[in-house]
Amino acid sequence: MTLKSLACTISAVLLAGCGSTVATQTYNADLIITNGQILTINSEMDVIEDGVVVVKNDQIIAVGNEDLITQYRAEKVIDAQDGIVMPGMVNAHNHLPMIAFRGLGEEGISNRLFAYFFPLEAEKLSRELIYNATKLGSIELAQSGVTTYADMYYHMDEMAKATKEVGLRAVLGETVIKFPVVDAKEPHGGIEYAKGFIEQYKNDELITPAYAPHAVYTVSKDKLQEINKLSAQYDVPVLIHVAEFPNEEKRIKDQTKATSPVEYMDEIGVLDERVVIAHGIHLSENDQKLLKQADAGISYNPMANAKGATGIAPAWEMYRADMRIGLGTDGPMSSNQVDIMRTLSYAANMQRLKHSDRTIMIPEQVIEMATLGGAKALHMEDQIGSLEVGKKADIVIVETQSANMMPSYDPYATLVYQANPSNIDTTIVNGQIVMENRVMQTVQLDDIRQSVDEFEADITEFAKELSKKAIKSKSLMD
Amino acid sequence: MTLKSLACTISAVLLAGCGSTVATQTYNADLIITNGQILTINSEMDVIEDGVVVVKNDQIIAVGNEDLITQYRAEKVIDAQDGIVMPGMVNAHNHLPMIAFRGLGEEGISNRLFAYFFPLEAEKLSRELIYNATKLGSIELAQSGVTTYADMYYHMDEMAKATKEVGLRAVLGETVIKFPVVDAKEPHGGIEYAKGFIEQYKNDELITPAYAPHAVYTVSKDKLQEINKLSAQYDVPVLIHVAEFPNEEKRIKDQTKATSPVEYMDEIGVLDERVVIAHGIHLSENDQKLLKQADAGISYNPMANAKGATGIAPAWEMYRADMRIGLGTDGPMSSNQVDIMRTLSYAANMQRLKHSDRTIMIPEQVIEMATLGGAKALHMEDQIGSLEVGKKADIVIVETQSANMMPSYDPYATLVYQANPSNIDTTIVNGQIVMENRVMQTVQLDDIRQSVDEFEADITEFAKELSKKAIKSKSLMD
């Protein structure tokens, strides 16, 4: 991919050479991408060969064939020759700062959440770690073509700050849980913490603040209901883990006779169109119906769910039912990497295994799920998820000239089954070029290398001791 | 990773500076790798921090801690600072030239083998295509840290030529099948073709020629027996697809009462220590016992088996039974990419799903399977699969300084769950540096770019028509 910084503008003059008379009306833009194979992900799933995307400020103002270059001029032109131009991918479920801990506790620990994650977080989490780890993770996201991610964690103001420095879009949910945690010593203290965070970021152009009640079995009924009311009042999303484990409702059997966490949420009045559930592995047909009726979003996390042996979500069923389903990695202690590229093949392959049918979840459907599907899951499809006029300029260019990308007969199959994160060439978010020709434009990895080395050294010894204890612990899933 | 081309040699003089008197006895070598975190994959699974590997000619002559650098000198020294140094990975099952067709027929075709693969091969395969596609595929393999691959295809002399030019090690099985194919117009004509190929390459330092009867249901009983005799006579491997589909024995029910293809092979006397089976998805306990008794190898291909919805092999059971099991990608129409990196997470995750147990197939076991396991599957563990004195110098260096590799607490987890092919920095095969600092040293991708463009253009139109026909075809698996 080569960049042309043209002294004269791209417009009718291009055809006649610089300095000649402008033959037709041209409009000013900020950025023009030319020559790419454009996957629009519009309702017709149009693919435009040698297409053009025009950006002004934070928006896409034109998408079409090569004729468009006679109508617009911009100082910045990116020649996407031999590249695939697509909407930025959406990672619909993450706990990004856990990147500080990824690779730990991989020795075969069954009760990993309670015996490993929580003690590690209790000991090592800090504001500073959350900020630095978010920066590292956001760089990895940008480098792999993710332009929007949704997250459930702590000190979300630190996450917002780091995410904005890198230049990504994010839905950041402040965790509410009935245990003392790093940013709230009182049970459910996240509700109070979230207030300030939401008020600070409510109108931010990149950050959508949210509530993140951990799960129905770790947040009390009245607090779930309080969060529901507050989310309506602020009009912000509610991110929650649901049906990750079988029979989660049994953990709250003193509170309900519901036969599933989804039924319980419906029963207590907290299942609405602001909810985004993560995992949704153990969903009955009725659960799926309730989620559809509520117009809730779903993050399908096939790679993490396989690694954690938690199962395969009924994603094909929900996709076919035109539900709001996108792809997520889960946190870096569950998926280890945070890019969506690796999750793409899992998204298809797990459904094919589950249904013993190689003809389902074809690559085109997977890419739709990774882009527009994620946008729908987060209720952001009016802003992102496709390359269409009026959408935010969240755009990724993928090169196809490396050995692993050759040949490229079908761009969707190339992306799902051949591409690696290193094939992402350029990442644009909200009209800003975050990475170009594989070079980060906003922050540099070297800026945080020392802090990563420091937290790695600090965590290493503690983690060794923790592993020894955790490996003996009994599984909650038993 | 930086390269030091030292004017003076690494030896005791290094400690005192160039030109000083050599204090201790030093030995000549050809290549010294220093400063890496060495995963030996020896019987103790030793990991050596700041370790040294010394190579002379095609062999590893020393492996140890940093003290070794005082004992050897070499013109070529690679500083593997911050890198993981590991045995080259083994891709134990492939059809590499099908890389020419990857990405085709992904629209949801159930009978893909018979309605798509075979007609496409019948129309488009040629000696030239096989040569060029093998070169492309071998570059992708080298770039992703695979130093040995096993393949079942046609015109294996062309594959051998291209593979040797790139500098990889391979077990190349000439296909025998009861249909006319590109290099044999008569049924089972591959037996005759193989004769010349085996005699040409029998003593090659990189190529191990082999027979590749396609499957028990596509090769007649007497030809399977003839191949068995010839393989013993030449002492070459026999690669065969086994138990990829359920009830393969039903396709030959006029010939046997065996209840599985493995039992059938045992019954007709063709299951021995030269056999390497691919897939092995539908294996009974008795099948596994027979394979172990025969000392046969198994290529576990979890990513392709998930994509093709064929199932999950009992890999954990066979690994625990200390059988010869390695990892494969299957051909590029089944897995699309040929690197083992993406298969690593599938190797663990599919077993965890199958057994509903997150504690099995931990990263250390996966890396063992990808290296020594593959070597054992191909009966080559005396030559490759670990970094030990006397083994061939097939060595890979993986960098850990990219965002996706940080932090790196556990090198095995880093490799299985964080690393991408682009993190492979240096690939050495048989003592030859095939890639260094991500730059190919033997052949260049640009050398074959034009031929890839040509075959891509030639295949595109034919494939479109074929897709329309194939999508209507009934599945053989029904």
Side-chain angles (χ1 to χ4, degrees):
Chain A
M1 214 114 336
T2 57
L3 155 69
K4 296 176 188 162
S5 276
L6 298 174
C8 61
T9 57
I10 279 221
S11 70
V13 301
L14 247 191
L15 302 172
C18 283
S20 67
T21 312
V22 175
T24 57
Q25 171 78 43
T26 60
Y27 300 92
N28 289 322
D30 294 319
L31 168 65
I32 302 176
I33 300 168
T34 65
N35 279 325
Q37 181 179 38
I38 301 181
L39 312 185
T40 62
I41 320 293
N42 64 17
S43 58
E44 305 298 314
M45 292 296 280
D46 286 324
V47 175
I48 307 170
E49 303 292 338
D50 302 318
V52 172
V53 181
V54 185
V55 174
K56 187 166 185 175
N57 297 321
D58 58 351
Q59 285 201 340
I60 295 169
I61 60 167
V63 180
N65 64 25
E66 56 195 325
D67 297 342
L68 272 186
I69 57 173
T70 63
Q71 299 169 36
Y72 293 91
R73 59 186 161 204
E75 283 294 316
K76 178 75 175 178
V77 178
I78 295 177
D79 183 348
Q81 179 79 45
D82 298 317
I84 297 168
V85 181
M86 64 184 288
M89 286 179 275
V90 177
N91 185 341
H93 182 58
N94 209 335
H95 311 285
L96 194 57
M98 294 182 83
I99 207 163
F101 310 128
R102 68 171 165 191
L104 290 174
E106 297 286 353
E107 313 89 334
I109 296 164
S110 59
N111 184 12
R112 204 159 165 257
L113 179 63
F114 283 78
Y116 204 97
F117 284 23
F118 289 161
L120 189 58
E121 288 179 335
E123 183 71 21
K124 292 296 173 188
L125 272 189
S126 67
R127 270 196 175 271
E128 192 190 358
L129 184 72
I130 288 170
Y131 170 79
N132 285 317
T134 301
K135 215 155 165 181
L136 171 63
S138 294
I139 292 173
E140 186 179 342
L141 289 168
Q143 287 178 339
S144 60
V146 173
T147 54
T148 297
Y149 75 102
D151 210 279
M152 302 170 65
Y153 216 57
Y154 308 101
H155 284 308
M156 299 316 268
D157 47 327
E158 295 292 340
M159 286 197 69
K161 194 173 142 206
T163 302
K164 282 173 70 73
E165 284 176 35
V166 176
L168 297 188
R169 197 182 297 285
V171 178
L172 301 179
E174 172 67 29
T175 292
V176 181
I177 194 163
K178 64 184 177 186
F179 312 119
V181 288
V182 62
D183 61 358
K185 297 304 163 204
E186 294 299 310
H188 304 107
I191 294 177
E192 181 60 26
Y193 195 101
K195 191 168 186 292
F197 170 61
I198 290 170
E199 286 171 359
Q200 186 182 356
Y201 283 96
K202 187 66 188 82
N203 298 307
D204 193 87
E205 58 178 356
L206 289 174
I207 304 300
T208 302
Y211 289 97
H214 175 267
V216 296
Y217 57 90
T218 47
V219 180
S220 70
K221 176 181 158 184
D222 58 326
K223 294 299 176 184
L224 286 170
Q225 290 170 326
E226 184 181 342
I227 290 167
N228 174 262
K229 281 201 192 95
L230 287 165
S231 73
Q233 187 181 312
Y234 286 117
D235 191 23
V236 294
V238 177
L239 315 179
I240 181 168
H241 297 102
V242 173
E244 179 176 7
F245 305 109
N247 307 317
E248 288 176 0
E249 72 286 351
K250 286 194 179 159
R251 299 180 189 178
I252 47 169
K253 61 189 172 191
D254 54 328
Q255 293 170 56
T256 182
K257 287 200 168 62
T259 62
S260 79
V262 174
E263 284 180 18
Y264 171 66
M265 289 175 72
D266 183 55
E267 173 188 293
I268 66 170
V270 303
L271 189 64
D272 65 22
E273 74 284 1
R274 276 175 296 276
V275 168
V276 184
I277 74 161
H279 303 298
I281 299 167
H282 307 280
L283 296 176
S284 67
E285 281 186 28
N286 188 51
D287 290 339
Q288 294 172 46
K289 202 176 118 197
L290 290 172
L291 288 165
K292 186 169 163 68
Q293 278 170 2
D295 206 25
I298 301 111
S299 178
Y300 165 42
N301 312 318
M303 162 32 187
N305 297 160
K307 178 168 180 269
T310 45
I312 302 174
W316 177 242
E317 292 87 328
M318 293 192 278
Y319 174 82
R320 297 285 285 178
D322 201 24
M323 288 170 65
R324 296 178 169 276
I325 181 166
L327 295 177
T329 55
D330 201 356
M333 281 196 78
S334 300
S335 64
N336 300 44
Q337 38 63 264
V338 294
D339 70 80
I340 283 292
M341 307 291 301
R342 192 181 299 209
T343 292
L344 298 176
S345 74
Y346 274 93
N349 297 352
M350 296 306 94
Q351 295 305 308
R352 293 178 181 192
L353 270 183
K354 182 182 169 88
H355 294 274
S356 297
D357 186 347
R358 75 185 319 150
T359 71
I360 63 172
M361 279 291 277
I362 64 173
E364 185 181 77
Q365 295 166 331
V366 174
I367 295 300
E368 187 192 0
M369 199 180 271
T371 53
L372 189 63
K376 285 180 178 172
L378 302 177
H379 300 87
M380 294 173 77
E381 73 274 18
D382 57 331
Q383 294 178 64
I384 59 169
S386 62
L387 300 183
E388 293 180 278
V389 172
K391 291 259 178 128
K392 297 292 184 187
D394 290 8
I395 308 167
V396 163
I397 307 176
V398 191
E399 61 88 7
T400 63
Q401 297 296 292
S402 294
N404 67 300
M405 299 294 273
M406 294 162 63
S408 175
Y409 294 101
D410 167 349
Y412 299 111
T414 305
L415 290 168
V416 174
Y417 289 114
Q418 289 172 232
N420 295 314
S422 56
N423 302 115
I424 303 291
D425 185 88
T426 294
T427 302
I428 298 163
V429 185
N430 211 43
Q432 181 186 27
I433 300 174
V434 174
M435 179 177 75
E436 186 171 6
N437 298 328
R438 293 295 297 162
V439 179
M440 289 295 295
Q441 304 292 311
T442 49
V443 300
Q444 299 305 317
L445 186 57
D446 280 340
D447 299 345
I448 53 160
R449 202 176 289 282
Q450 194 186 334
S451 68
V452 175
D453 288 346
E454 282 168 10
F455 70 61
E456 186 171 353
D458 176 57
I459 291 164
T460 298
E461 285 310 307
F462 177 78
K464 274 185 194 160
E465 290 306 307
L466 186 57
S467 284
K468 286 178 201 162
K469 284 182 217 160
I471 214 157
K472 294 175 195 155
S473 173
K474 198 171 167 294
S475 173
L476 237 197
M477 291 174 67
D478 293 339
Chain B
M1 217 112 336
T2 56
L3 156 70
K4 294 178 188 161
S5 274
L6 298 173
C8 61
T9 57
I10 279 220
S11 69
V13 300
L14 248 191
L15 302 172
C18 282
S20 68
T21 312
V22 175
T24 56
Q25 171 79 42
T26 60
Y27 300 93
N28 288 324
D30 293 318
L31 167 66
I32 301 176
I33 300 168
T34 65
N35 277 326
Q37 181 179 36
I38 300 181
L39 312 185
T40 62
I41 319 292
N42 64 15
S43 58
E44 305 298 314
M45 292 297 281
D46 286 326
V47 175
I48 307 169
E49 303 293 338
D50 302 318
V52 172
V53 180
V54 184
V55 174
K56 186 165 187 177
N57 298 321
D58 58 352
Q59 286 201 339
I60 295 168
I61 59 168
V63 179
N65 65 24
E66 56 195 327
D67 296 342
L68 271 185
I69 57 172
T70 63
Q71 297 171 37
Y72 293 91
R73 61 186 158 204
E75 283 294 316
K76 178 77 176 177
V77 178
I78 295 176
D79 183 348
Q81 178 80 46
D82 298 317
I84 297 168
V85 181
M86 63 183 287
M89 287 178 274
V90 178
N91 185 340
H93 181 57
N94 209 333
H95 310 287
L96 193 58
M98 293 182 85
I99 207 164
F101 309 128
R102 68 172 163 189
L104 290 173
E106 296 285 353
E107 313 89 333
I109 297 163
S110 59
N111 183 11
R112 205 158 163 256
L113 180 63
F114 282 80
Y116 204 97
F117 284 23
F118 289 162
L120 188 59
E121 289 179 333
E123 183 72 21
K124 291 297 175 189
L125 273 189
S126 68
R127 270 194 174 273
E128 193 189 357
L129 184 73
I130 288 170
Y131 170 78
N132 284 317
T134 300
K135 215 156 165 180
L136 172 62
S138 295
I139 291 173
E140 187 177 341
L141 289 168
Q143 288 179 338
S144 60
V146 173
T147 53
T148 297
Y149 75 102
D151 210 279
M152 301 170 65
Y153 216 57
Y154 308 101
H155 284 309
M156 300 315 271
D157 46 327
E158 295 292 340
M159 287 196 68
K161 195 173 140 204
T163 302
K164 282 174 69 74
E165 284 176 36
V166 176
L168 297 189
R169 195 181 299 284
V171 178
L172 300 179
E174 172 66 28
T175 293
V176 181
I177 194 164
K178 65 184 177 186
F179 313 119
V181 287
V182 62
D183 62 358
K185 296 305 164 203
E186 294 298 312
H188 304 107
I191 294 177
E192 180 59 27
Y193 196 101
K195 191 168 186 290
F197 170 62
I198 290 169
E199 286 171 359
Q200 186 182 353
Y201 283 95
K202 187 66 188 83
N203 297 308
D204 193 90
E205 58 177 356
L206 289 174
I207 305 300
T208 303
Y211 289 97
H214 175 267
V216 295
Y217 57 90
T218 48
V219 179
S220 70
K221 175 182 159 184
D222 58 325
K223 294 298 177 185
L224 286 169
Q225 290 170 328
E226 184 181 340
I227 290 165
N228 175 262
K229 282 202 191 92
L230 286 165
S231 72
Q233 188 180 311
Y234 286 117
D235 191 23
V236 294
V238 176
L239 315 179
I240 182 167
H241 298 102
V242 172
E244 178 176 8
F245 305 109
N247 305 316
E248 287 176 1
E249 71 287 351
K250 286 194 180 161
R251 299 179 189 178
I252 47 168
K253 60 188 173 192
D254 54 329
Q255 294 170 56
T256 182
K257 287 198 171 63
T259 62
S260 79
V262 173
E263 284 180 20
Y264 171 66
M265 289 175 72
D266 183 54
E267 173 188 294
I268 67 170
V270 302
L271 190 65
D272 65 22
E273 75 284 0
R274 274 174 297 275
V275 167
V276 184
I277 74 161
H279 303 298
I281 299 167
H282 307 280
L283 296 177
S284 67
E285 280 185 29
N286 188 50
D287 290 340
Q288 294 170 46
K289 202 177 119 198
L290 289 172
L291 287 165
K292 186 169 163 68
Q293 279 171 0
D295 206 25
I298 300 110
S299 178
Y300 165 43
N301 312 317
M303 156 47 183
N305 296 161
K307 178 168 180 267
T310 43
I312 302 173
W316 177 243
E317 294 87 329
M318 293 192 278
Y319 174 81
R320 297 285 285 177
D322 202 23
M323 289 171 65
R324 296 177 169 275
I325 181 166
L327 295 176
T329 54
D330 201 358
M333 281 196 80
S334 301
S335 64
N336 300 44
Q337 36 64 264
V338 295
D339 70 82
I340 283 292
M341 306 291 300
R342 193 180 301 208
T343 292
L344 297 176
S345 74
Y346 274 93
N349 296 352
M350 296 307 94
Q351 295 306 309
R352 293 178 181 192
L353 270 183
K354 184 184 169 90
H355 293 273
S356 297
D357 187 347
R358 72 184 321 150
T359 70
I360 62 173
M361 280 290 277
I362 64 171
E364 185 182 77
Q365 295 166 330
V366 174
I367 295 299
E368 187 192 0
M369 199 180 271
T371 54
L372 189 63
K376 285 179 178 171
L378 302 178
H379 299 88
M380 293 173 76
E381 73 273 19
D382 57 331
Q383 294 179 65
I384 59 170
S386 62
L387 300 183
E388 293 180 277
V389 172
K391 291 260 177 129
K392 298 293 183 186
D394 290 8
I395 308 167
V396 164
I397 307 176
V398 190
E399 59 89 8
T400 63
Q401 296 299 291
S402 295
N404 67 300
M405 300 293 274
M406 294 161 63
S408 175
Y409 294 101
D410 167 350
Y412 299 112
T414 305
L415 290 169
V416 174
Y417 290 115
Q418 289 173 231
N420 295 314
S422 56
N423 302 115
I424 303 292
D425 185 87
T426 295
T427 302
I428 298 162
V429 185
N430 212 42
Q432 181 187 25
I433 300 175
V434 173
M435 180 176 75
E436 185 170 7
N437 298 327
R438 292 295 297 161
V439 180
M440 289 294 296
Q441 304 293 310
T442 49
V443 300
Q444 298 305 316
L445 185 57
D446 281 340
D447 299 344
I448 53 159
R449 202 176 288 281
Q450 195 186 333
S451 67
V452 175
D453 289 345
E454 282 168 9
F455 70 61
E456 185 170 353
D458 177 57
I459 290 164
T460 298
E461 286 309 307
F462 177 78
K464 275 185 192 159
E465 290 306 307
L466 187 58
S467 284
K468 287 179 199 162
K469 284 182 219 162
I471 215 158
K472 295 174 193 155
S473 174
K474 199 172 166 297
S475 173
L476 238 198
M477 292 173 64
D478 293 339

